[in-house]
Amino acid sequence: MAVLDRSLESSPAESSARVPVGSILHDWVVTADHKKLGLMYIASGLVFFLVAGVMASMMRIQLALPQNDFLGPNTFNRLMTMHGTTMVFFVGMPMFFGFANYVVPLQIGARDLAFPRLNAFGFWMFLFGGVLLYFSALGSEGLYGAGSTPDVGWFAYAPLTSRTFSRGNATDYWILGILLSSVGSTATAINLVTTVATMRCPGMTLGRMPLFVWILWVDAILVLFVLSPLTAAQVMLLFDRFLGAHFFDTQAGGSAVLWQHFFWFFGHPEVYVLILPAFAIASEVIPVFSRKPLFGYPIMVAATICIGMISMSVWVHHMFVVGLEPGANTFFAASTMAIAVPTGIKIFNWLGTMWGGRIRFRVPMLWCTAFLLEFVLAGLTGVILATVPIDWQLSDSYFVVAHFHFVLIGGLLFNIFAAIYYWFPKATGRMLDEGLGRKHFFWFVLGFNLTFLPMHVPGLLGMPRRIYTYMPGRGWDAWNLVVTIGVAVQAIGILYFLWNVISSLRDGEPAGDDPWDGWTLEWATTSPPPEYNFEEIPTVRSRRPLWDLKHPEDPDWRWE
Amino acid sequence: MSARRDDDRGSIRMPAPTAWPMLLAAGICLGFGGLVTNAIVTATGAVLAVIAAWGWIREVLPVQHLEEVALRPAALRAKDVRPSTARVDHLEVGQDGHRMRLPIEIHPWTAGLTGGLIGAGVMALVAAAIGVAGYGSPWYPINLLAATVMPSLSQAGTKELSAFDPTAFGIASVIHLLASLLVGALYGLILPLVPRRHALIGGLVAPLFWTGLLWAVLGVLNPALNGRIEWPAFVLSQVAFGVAVGWFVSRSEKIATLQDVSLAARAGIEASGLGKGRDEA
Amino acid sequence: MNPGSPVHAIPDMFQPVSAPAEAIRQLWWLVGGISIGILLVVGGILWWCATHFRARPGEDREPPQVYGSNQIEFAWTIVPVLIVLVLFLATARTIYDVQAMVPPKDALEVTVVGHQWWWEIRYPGLGVVTANELHVPASVPGARRPTFLTLESADVIHSFWVPQLAGKTDVVPARRNRMWVEPTETGTFLGQCAEFCGTQHANMLLRVVVDSPADFAAWVEAQKRPAVADPRVAVGRAVFESTACVSCHTVAGTGADGTFGPDLTHLMSRATIASGAADNAPDRLRAWIVDPHAIKPGALMPAMKLPDDQVDAVTAYLSTLR
Amino acid sequence: MSTATAAVPGGLEEATGPLGEDRKGRVGMASLIIAEISFFAVFIVAYLFYLGKSATGPQPGEVLKTPVVATICLLASSVTIAIALRALRAGSLGGFRLWWLATILLGAGFLVATALEWHELIWERGLTIATNLFGTTFYSLVGFHALHVTLGLCMLTFVLVAALRGRLHPEDAERTEILSWYWHFVDAVWIAVFCVVYLTAR
Ligand code: HEA
Ligand code: HEA
Ligand code: CUA
Ligand SMILES: [Cu+2]
């Protein structure tokens, strides 16, 4: 292959700008290309994130002062439900599938996913599910005649969701929106499992798969196991509401606790479904910027599998206060705490990777470094909650809200940002601006800590979650005000980010094939990669094929 | 990485773009959307779904519809990955060995675990002796340990605590064994990292350290034990444990030969440059 | 009610006055301490890495390629296992300590029924029914008297939470949960419903008044009496009894025996109305009867649309129900 | 899909991994079956959880008859589909059509039996999905199974039509076998349903 300079003017990204918009749109809508679908997942995830973020900001304005009347109870409850539902199902999930779609085939040296059309189907199911959910704002006849979005909380405890207590169609929209998008997610998970199992390039044994691929593979398998129980539970609820069935009808002997079991059997693994991609990203970014291979690769794989398996046996920790037997509480306390061990292994192995490296603190690495600290704090509050008697105090309080925003933002979102900065050059051919990136990082991390660190305190002082207002004088006022101010600071960060994306798309610095001096296969093709990814399917001999080429005197395959 | 070279082709076949999956999704969503809007929506959705499903089937059967994607001109292809100019540092090691496990003679698991078992026995003996000496019953310390998880025992008086209780015995044994084995394993792993004075560190410093920790938290962990414990005797039993494990672990390996070896080697670091690599993959 | 008892405005779990809450605070120090320790260790290592292993600009060298170390990896597996073991043992014991408690013979039995969005409180042994304000006796040395609560729900899931007394327990329809408190200090302690239960979840507040044993006995006596019948407010009473009020509210000694809303027999003995949404002051009471939704939007009591004079009369009548 | 394109040079199938891209149909179907198993598991758990908890009648023991014929039909269809596949591999398209048709008929027989059972339960015993917890859990579980049988039958019929029109060749055995996995899975679910619903009712 000739080593020639490529002038940007003739790159495909540029030339497509001259094609009419309608035709571009058509290209994206009918595509079966994993890269385009991946980008669409990520883009729609970002849009949903902004929407849900704005909803969160409105809730925070309402809560800034005691007995504020910026929002009424119904509006607040709807925003709360839509914020949580959106963030979990329409931000976290598409980010997982987006990065999996985009990166996995490139990293395993494949041309596409195993079932490209099924992939498109999965994406559109996800998107239309979300659209249906949001259509409730117009289409659902609420109690007061106006349209109303669902207002039962993101885990929709029975019997609040029964026809008796939730009239109108709002709850039906919630069920259907999630049900349909889950079908899409299951399809995509099947696709990913199959792709990784069967389409790795020659030489890429399981032991040579990049850890990113490993973790997402485990994650997709986890989705197979836990998403259909949610689907089943939603179907039951649908039967209750439309056919008069009694699954969760407490008046006819049905059980409210059964719904909780079904929901959390999905719900807990779901949070690991969300966090595993974050782990995957960190496992990719930290080594590259520390200039060392990942410390303890085999044990990292083992820890991932352990997390996947244990996560299916801990769901009752969301139910410590429903009054189960002490034996059950004890067992699930043990299994929940056990998960700290494989997670700890991961943390320490990332630290081990950084130790002795030559760390380049570019923006992706900044996010991952911040993630390490924030996530440990978040995990530790998780362990505090797993201590059952303490959970009796703190369950359903703002301490829990602080815990899960710490994991979801400090853990998941930070890494999503890292991934966006890391792979943006690959996907667009242009770098994101480093200076703006640092501003984004600084403001967002500051705002995040200003918001969610103080949020632990009202929880410890007895403030329950999901309240639209509270009485003055309970010791919560000042804390809530600080929390709300923090959101404004976060918003500044987000605005820098948006500006960065928009301006860099138009005139960012050209990236070249391999801007980070990376080691996995995606950096061996162009940025953006051609539709077929590689002219020739590569062959690999180690976990870091590009290292082998860059350091023929000291290749990895001599050691692995 | 090396590329598999086929004859240079002008194009690669990729699945053709198709709208059917999107339309099927739209159909299904409309179909269900009718539940909350209008039956007409359901009907439209169902029709759309059937048509789209058929369209999709025609797309892949009998042969899937592929599209020729022209290869990019050579100038626009990825550049070859070239050797880097950066030199790679290597860890300094005092002696040669195999990368996978350094030093070769260590059997950390077995040594640590056996040590833990021995320590468990020694500690149990010491504790039982103290129990007999102080309260005339070997079961006394055992019951106290079991009180960690058995609230009934934590309220019990000295008389109940001196009696044999099979449940308490079972629970205490499990806790005792588990903790001993884990700490033993830890000894097996960590002591070799320390260049010298294994007996002192393992036998005295470490037990004193965790006794101090225990002292701080025992009130919460096991109030019953906390109320009745005699610290000197407790420290004695811990030190007995530490000495036993430390002695066994340090005896079972030839630690002395490692004193001039770098920490990296003692820690069993796996790195390029340490030991010999494979020549051909 | 005992006016002298202090109101503890901050429902702070770190100022427990009852056995289960006390046990939890102790556990907190253990778990919190360990957590802070771990955080410091990880933070320290991270700090060290960030300061000592930064790439210096312009340096064209790669660091030693270290792949891992069995010893070190095992070590940082076992240490967390040990820590988890300790945490687990402490957790297990406290769970049994609290959950396996058997009511002593002279324990006070109370049934708390959660409604959308208020609390019904019954003392089955004493024949007392009240709402939103739970009175319990203080447990004094020598005559310990814990209170055992049976939790039931009339509609959806609620959760009973008064942090200074005990952890929360959910109130689940078609299920009877139990919990207990044993306060050792008198005073009023605040809490609120902690499980999302619909529109007015936020205003489903709870007050627990811990009385000295003597005060408690006096309170019980007062609550057992039927409602006072003050002839001066006979008009208001007549209005009350001839409107739909009676189909939802009970006033012992009158024809009013509805159970959909709170028992009003001794309304004036309570410090707040509508489950803490408003103070129990005459103007608030009047406002409530005129339009409950102005105070508690979405509350399940309809605005009765009574003419002004009738509202005044009813308010006057209710104000006599001490 | 894969066999059909095997002849196309330079297509997707080139990226052969250790498990082989020609296995992707199998892996995909196995994944789908995993997801389906956990779907049914939830309905089974719900059925068992509510067994005997119905506040009002009818109880399973009073109305359920052991569906012997239906069960035999479905179990037999698993055998016939295997024979059909063997015939296809051996290149005997005639045999394939015959046994495949038998499979479809047996499956349809099962559906008819279920329909009759439901007819009796609904119209004579007055048990609907809204009657009590038993009705709720029974119709959902058995109904979802029947739905899967129906879907399976549709796909089987599709293949039969292709075979009758001469579009099916021995090279398609792989794809057809993957379809048969689905059918076996449906059969296995029935065994579970049979044990959980009908055996406990006796
Ligand atoms: C990405 C999502 C995510 C992640 C990763 C986690 C991780 C954990 N979570 Fe969290 N959790 C949520 C998302 C998440 N959680 C959400 C969304 C909710 C609320 C749902 C709702 O009610 O709406 C919730 C709620 C929740 C509860 C229920 C609270 C309640 O409602 O009563 C509990 C209780 O046990 C819990 C525990 C844990 C634990 C033990 C972990 C562990 O996995 C953490 C492990 C990590 C560490 C411990 C740190 C690193 C480890 C070391 C440095 C090693 C040394 C440490 C020790 C030995 C302790 N979580
Ligand atoms: C990935 C998950 C995720 C993320 C990222 C967030 C992000 C945020 N969340 Fe949320 N949250 C949840 C998941 C998440 N949340 C869940 C699962 C629940 C539980 C719901 C339930 O109880 O059912 C919850 C509940 C929840 C509550 C509790 C509600 C209650 O119990 O009453 C609160 C309150 O403060 C809150 C706040 C916030 C804030 C301030 C942010 C901030 O970080 C948001 C930052 C974003 C912005 C500030 C937006 C920036 C936008 C702009 C700058 C404008 C651009 C505008 C356009 C171009 C349109 N969240
Ligand atoms: Cu009742 Cu919340
Ligand atoms: Cu969880």
Side-chain angles (χ1 to χ4, degrees):
Chain A
M1 241 181 281
V3 185
L4 277 177
D5 240 355
R6 218 157 27 95
S7 63
L8 263 169
E9 270 67 83
S10 56
S11 88
E14 199 75 3
S15 55
S16 68
R18 281 177 230 118
V19 184
V21 182
S23 131
I24 295 180
L25 211 62
H26 178 261
D27 277 0
W28 285 82
V29 169
V30 300
T31 189
D33 177 17
H34 74 99
K35 294 181 290 299
K36 283 191 174 148
L37 286 165
L39 293 181
M40 288 200 287
Y41 264 121
I42 295 170
S44 37
L46 276 178
V47 171
F48 278 122
F49 168 74
L50 291 180
V51 173
V54 169
M55 293 198 271
S57 313
M58 291 171 68
M59 293 194 299
R60 281 320 313 176
I61 295 175
Q62 161 68 16
L63 290 173
L65 302 170
Q67 298 201 299
N68 198 357
D69 44 45
F70 174 67
L71 302 172
N74 289 312
T75 321
F76 183 93
N77 293 341
R78 288 177 196 145
L79 290 179
M80 177 267 287
T81 305
M82 291 297 276
H83 166 76
T85 308
T86 308
M87 285 292 191
V88 171
F89 292 100
F90 299 100
V91 178
M93 294 295 269
M95 287 298 179
F96 163 28
F97 290 132
F99 285 106
N101 247 301
Y102 198 95
V103 179
V104 166
L106 286 169
Q107 282 200 342
I108 63 174
R111 295 233 145 95
D112 205 322
L113 289 185
F115 311 111
R117 296 173 195 85
L118 186 67
N119 195 18
F121 173 74
F123 169 76
W124 292 108
M125 283 302 282
F126 146 78
L127 191 65
F128 292 148
V131 170
L132 186 65
L133 179 68
Y134 273 84
F135 183 69
S136 62
L138 305 173
S140 159
E141 236 177 273
L143 267 185
Y144 305 101
S148 79
T149 53
D151 59 357
V152 285
W154 86 277
F155 42 74
Y157 273 0
L160 193 61
T161 47
S162 67
R163 278 254 179 261
T164 326
F165 301 110
S166 165
R167 278 160 282 172
N169 284 134
T171 303
D172 301 322
Y173 276 95
W174 182 83
I175 301 173
L176 289 175
I178 293 176
L179 192 71
L180 294 169
S181 79
S182 308
V183 172
S185 303
T186 309
T188 307
I190 292 176
N191 216 337
L192 282 171
V193 173
T194 311
T195 307
V196 178
T198 61
M199 305 201 18
R200 282 168 283 132
C201 67
M204 186 169 286
T205 56
L206 287 183
R208 290 189 193 147
M209 259 173 11
L211 197 66
F212 183 85
V213 178
W214 251 113
I215 297 182
L216 292 188
W217 198 33
V218 172
D219 203 7
I221 295 175
L222 191 59
V223 168
L224 289 186
F225 277 102
V226 302
L227 205 56
S228 24
L230 175 73
T231 308
Q234 306 268 42
V235 167
M236 291 177 183
L237 193 54
L238 214 54
F239 283 0
D240 273 11
R241 289 182 60 90
F242 281 95
L243 303 179
H246 304 293
F247 280 108
F248 310 115
D249 174 1
T250 45
Q251 255 109 45
S255 163
V257 178
L258 191 66
W259 166 266
Q260 301 190 12
H261 280 296
F262 287 165
F263 186 88
W264 290 118
F265 180 76
F266 149 80
H268 182 82
E270 166 71 7
V271 305
Y272 287 93
V273 169
L274 298 181
I275 201 68
L276 282 177
F279 290 172
I281 293 163
S283 307
E284 205 53 39
V285 170
I286 292 179
V288 169
F289 289 88
S290 304
R291 309 308 303 157
K292 280 175 62 198
L294 193 79
F295 196 89
Y297 173 96
I299 198 177
M300 285 295 256
V301 173
T304 309
I305 297 174
C306 271
I307 291 180
M309 292 198 308
I310 302 178
S311 76
M312 280 188 271
S313 67
V314 304
W315 75 94
V316 167
H317 70 219
H318 296 274
M319 303 166 59
F320 284 150
V321 294
V322 295
L324 302 178
E325 293 300 306
N329 286 343
T330 313
F331 172 81
F332 284 98
S335 58
T336 304
M337 289 177 174
I339 238 176
V341 176
T343 316
I345 291 175
K346 285 182 170 274
I347 300 278
F348 293 125
N349 277 333
W350 289 320
L351 290 173
T353 309
M354 291 173 71
W355 189 276
R358 294 228 164 75
I359 308 171
R360 301 177 182 166
F361 282 105
R362 305 293 298 275
V363 179
M365 186 62 187
L366 285 179
W367 285 111
C368 286
T369 316
F371 147 77
L372 281 179
L373 192 65
E374 311 280 17
F375 183 76
V376 169
L377 200 155
L380 291 170
T381 55
V383 173
I384 290 175
L385 288 170
T387 309
V388 182
I390 300 184
D391 187 69
W392 290 334
Q393 287 285 16
L394 295 179
S395 178
D396 274 315
S397 77
Y398 259 84
F399 190 88
V400 174
V401 180
H403 156 71
F404 68 69
H405 283 91
F406 249 82
V407 266
L408 284 168
I409 300 180
L412 173 62
L413 198 60
F414 279 22
N415 276 315
I416 290 178
F417 285 138
I420 292 178
Y421 281 88
Y422 186 65
W423 280 300
F424 187 91
K426 180 52 52 186
T428 64
R430 295 182 183 279
M431 305 293 286
L432 281 169
D433 185 74
E434 185 83 8
L436 284 174
R438 281 172 188 272
K439 290 209 178 72
H440 166 208
F441 173 79
F442 171 80
W443 285 102
F444 193 81
V445 172
L446 181 76
F448 163 70
N449 285 294
L450 200 58
T451 308
F452 294 107
L453 267 182
M455 193 187 269
H456 291 93
V457 182
L460 293 170
L461 296 181
M463 177 167 170
R465 62 195 280 202
R466 297 171 159 184
I467 53 176
Y468 76 99
T469 188
Y470 52 96
M471 295 287 162
R474 300 247 164 142
W476 309 340
D477 315 10
W479 298 105
N480 276 300
L481 191 60
V482 174
V483 168
T484 302
I485 294 172
V487 180
V489 181
Q490 284 185 66
I492 299 179
I494 299 285
L495 290 176
Y496 272 119
F497 168 66
L498 294 178
W499 176 240
N500 198 354
V501 170
I502 294 169
S503 64
S504 300
L505 266 181
R506 296 180 52 219
D507 39 34
E509 190 191 321
D513 296 347
D514 182 14
W516 309 115
D517 198 358
W519 297 318
T520 36
L521 289 177
E522 75 268 36
W523 306 110
T525 181
T526 49
S527 317
E531 214 173 316
Y532 43 80
N533 291 351
F534 303 96
E535 277 84 20
E536 287 125 16
I537 296 301
T539 307
V540 301
R541 298 172 79 187
S542 79
R543 279 170 218 147
R544 298 192 296 170
L546 264 60
W547 171 274
D548 293 349
L549 290 182
K550 290 172 182 171
H551 296 277
E553 80 289 356
D554 188 16
D556 263 6
W557 54 258
R558 288 189 61 203
W559 309 104
E560 271 166 16
Chain B
M1 185 193 89
S2 73
R4 196 171 78 188
R5 295 201 171 256
D6 294 35
D7 333 63
D8 229 25
R9 293 181 306 264
S11 66
I12 289 182
R13 289 189 177 188
M14 298 294 294
T18 160
W20 294 122
M22 189 269 279
L23 290 175
L24 180 63
I28 295 176
C29 289
L30 285 178
F32 278 95
L35 279 180
V36 283
T37 45
N38 196 304
I40 298 174
V41 178
T42 303
T44 324
V47 172
L48 185 59
V50 170
I51 297 175
W54 185 249
W56 189 344
I57 290 175
R58 301 301 307 169
E59 188 77 19
V60 289
L61 288 175
V63 276
Q64 67 166 324
H65 184 185
L66 296 177
E67 173 192 66
E68 297 280 344
V69 178
L71 282 184
R72 286 193 181 167
L76 290 184
R77 293 190 192 166
K79 288 168 232 163
D80 272 343
V81 179
R82 276 174 302 179
S84 156
T85 52
R87 197 163 50 76
V88 183
D89 289 351
H90 281 210
L91 283 182
E92 299 298 324
V93 257
Q95 85 190 58
D96 233 20
H98 191 270
R99 161 183 167 265
M100 291 309 288
R101 188 157 288 167
L102 271 177
I104 298 159
E105 309 91 320
I106 285 189
H107 307 290
W109 279 112
T110 47
L113 290 178
T114 327
L117 272 182
I118 294 178
V122 172
M123 183 162 138
L125 281 182
V126 174
I130 295 172
V132 174
Y135 303 89
S137 157
W139 310 119
Y140 184 80
I142 293 174
N143 285 332
L144 272 185
L145 181 56
T148 321
V149 280
M150 291 176 66
S152 62
L153 276 179
S154 56
Q155 268 117 40
T158 311
K159 200 161 140 281
E160 289 94 323
L161 284 176
S162 305
F164 177 74
D165 176 342
T167 335
F169 184 74
I171 291 182
S173 312
V174 170
I175 299 179
H176 180 63
L177 269 180
L178 207 59
S180 304
L181 280 178
L182 286 171
V183 174
L186 204 58
Y187 265 58
L189 296 171
I190 288 182
L191 276 191
L193 301 188
V194 192
R196 56 197 134 248
R197 292 205 221 285
H198 296 96
L200 181 69
I201 291 177
L204 206 60
V205 179
L208 281 181
F209 175 70
W210 78 62
T211 310
L213 277 182
L214 268 181
W215 177 78
V217 300
L218 201 62
V220 186
L221 200 58
N222 188 340
L225 185 54
N226 195 35
R228 293 158 185 277
I229 196 165
E230 276 150 48
W231 287 102
F234 183 75
V235 172
L236 191 68
S237 66
Q238 300 304 309
V239 171
F241 174 86
V243 171
V245 188
W247 167 78
F248 185 84
V249 171
S250 52
R251 206 198 51 128
S252 73
E253 299 151 12
K254 299 175 191 73
I255 299 269
T257 62
L258 290 174
Q259 280 199 8
D260 51 344
V261 162
S262 74
L263 180 67
R266 265 179 277 134
I269 299 272
E270 303 168 2
S272 58
L274 286 179
K276 290 202 187 74
R278 282 182 293 152
D279 286 332
E280 219 16 82
Chain C
M1 200 187 67
N2 181 355
S5 70
V7 176
H8 297 259
I10 301 182
D12 180 356
M13 62 176 270
F14 295 109
Q15 294 177 9
V17 298
S18 148
E22 178 67 44
I24 293 173
R25 184 187 54 170
Q26 285 198 7
L27 196 57
W28 167 272
W29 292 128
L30 173 75
V31 184
I34 291 181
S35 301
I36 290 179
I38 295 174
L39 190 66
L40 289 179
V41 169
V42 174
I45 300 177
L46 200 60
W47 181 256
W48 185 270
C49 288
T51 49
H52 285 70
F53 301 119
R54 283 191 111 100
R56 273 169 292 272
E59 200 181 31
D60 193 20
R61 280 159 66 207
E62 301 278 20
Q65 303 294 301
V66 171
Y67 300 92
S69 152
N70 291 345
Q71 265 98 323
I72 296 177
E73 284 157 32
F74 282 133
W76 65 44
T77 310
I78 291 179
V79 173
V81 170
L82 278 168
I83 298 177
V84 162
L85 193 68
V86 168
L87 289 179
F88 167 70
L89 291 178
T91 305
R93 197 185 52 84
T94 316
I95 293 179
Y96 279 92
D97 249 1
V98 175
Q99 274 196 292
M101 171 89 165
V102 192
K105 266 196 288 308
D106 52 353
L108 176 66
E109 286 287 348
V110 184
T111 303
V112 176
V113 186
H115 292 258
Q116 273 181 328
W117 295 281
W118 59 282
W119 302 94
E120 176 186 344
I121 294 164
R122 311 172 153 270
Y123 295 73
L126 306 175
V128 169
V129 179
T130 178
N132 301 331
E133 264 182 32
L134 171 67
H135 281 250
V136 300
S139 187
V140 289
R144 288 183 51 190
R145 192 166 185 210
T147 302
F148 276 72
L149 307 178
T150 303
L151 305 172
E152 292 168 13
S153 167
D155 34 51
V156 300
I157 305 181
H158 306 271
S159 191
F160 186 97
W161 187 26
V162 185
Q164 285 177 273
L165 300 185
K168 64 180 69 62
T169 308
D170 278 0
V171 179
V172 186
R175 185 185 171 99
R176 288 164 157 240
N177 277 339
R178 296 275 283 167
M179 68 180 277
W180 61 280
V181 298
E182 190 178 352
T184 50
E185 216 176 276
T186 60
T188 300
F189 301 93
L190 305 183
Q192 70 190 80
C193 174
E195 186 65 77
F196 184 67
C197 52
T199 315
Q200 275 297 345
H201 162 62
N203 275 318
M204 189 164 164
L205 311 183
L206 250 175
R207 299 165 77 86
V208 177
V209 183
V210 181
D211 294 321
S212 66
D215 286 348
F216 181 71
W219 178 82
V220 170
E221 275 321 303
Q223 294 285 316
K224 275 182 175 168
R225 282 195 292 273
V228 283
D230 190 334
R232 279 169 301 177
V233 292
V235 184
R237 178 172 169 179
V239 175
F240 182 82
E241 286 180 10
S242 59
T243 10
C245 308
V246 290
S247 58
C248 293
H249 292 286
T250 299
V251 177
T254 74
D257 59 355
T259 52
F260 186 72
D263 187 309
L264 301 179
T265 313
H266 300 282
L267 179 63
M268 286 303 129
S269 72
R270 308 202 273 264
T272 60
I273 54 172
S275 204
D279 289 337
N280 191 357
D283 61 319
R284 305 300 285 152
L285 186 57
R286 187 178 191 284
W288 173 262
I289 295 167
V290 172
D291 182 11
H293 301 263
I295 290 176
K296 201 169 171 179
L300 293 185
M301 168 164 156
M304 301 301 293
K305 307 217 166 55
L306 299 176
D308 268 4
D309 55 327
Q310 294 198 2
V311 173
D312 288 333
V314 171
T315 314
Y317 166 62
L318 291 180
S319 306
T320 64
L321 300 175
R322 9 204 98 257
Chain D
M1 239 174 275
S2 44
T3 36
T5 55
V8 184
L12 273 177
E13 74 289 349
E14 192 187 65
T16 308
L19 197 62
E21 200 185 329
D22 48 340
R23 288 283 188 267
K24 71 186 184 185
R26 287 163 187 257
V27 179
M29 180 53 80
S31 309
L32 176 69
I33 289 177
I34 290 179
E36 292 268 28
I37 286 176
S38 46
F39 180 85
F40 275 104
V42 172
F43 279 95
I44 290 176
V45 168
Y47 187 88
L48 288 174
F49 184 85
Y50 284 137
L51 198 61
K53 295 219 177 99
S54 298
T56 55
Q59 303 293 341
E62 297 160 26
V63 290
L64 287 188
K65 296 200 203 74
T66 315
V68 184
V69 179
T71 308
I72 291 177
C73 280
L74 205 57
L75 292 184
S77 73
S78 251
V79 178
T80 53
I81 201 170
I83 302 178
L85 271 172
R86 185 173 293 178
L88 183 62
R89 274 210 208 82
S92 150
L93 284 173
F96 171 78
R97 284 183 207 134
L98 195 69
W99 287 107
W100 198 258
L101 182 68
T103 310
I104 294 179
L105 290 179
L106 287 170
F110 171 85
L111 275 187
V112 171
T114 306
L116 291 176
E117 180 197 31
W118 282 33
H119 182 87
E120 185 192 330
L121 286 177
I122 295 174
W123 300 107
E124 281 160 36
R125 305 298 192 135
L127 179 76
T128 68
I129 195 169
T131 307
N132 58 10
L133 284 171
F134 164 55
T136 297
T137 49
F138 171 81
Y139 284 112
S140 325
L141 176 56
V142 176
F144 265 108
H145 177 259
L147 183 71
H148 280 74
V149 176
T150 314
L151 283 177
L153 277 182
C154 291
M155 293 190 279
L156 294 187
T157 314
F158 184 80
V159 173
L160 183 70
V161 172
L164 290 177
R165 293 172 63 194
R167 295 277 182 80
L168 198 82
H169 310 290
E171 303 89 86
D172 295 321
E174 167 83 6
R175 273 194 267 178
T176 321
E177 178 175 348
I178 293 168
L179 182 56
S180 83
W181 285 15
Y182 183 81
W183 192 252
H184 290 308
F185 156 73
V186 169
D187 202 20
V189 171
W190 178 252
I191 297 176
V193 171
F194 186 80
C195 297
V196 165
V197 177
Y198 294 97
L199 289 189
T200 56
R202 300 181 57 223

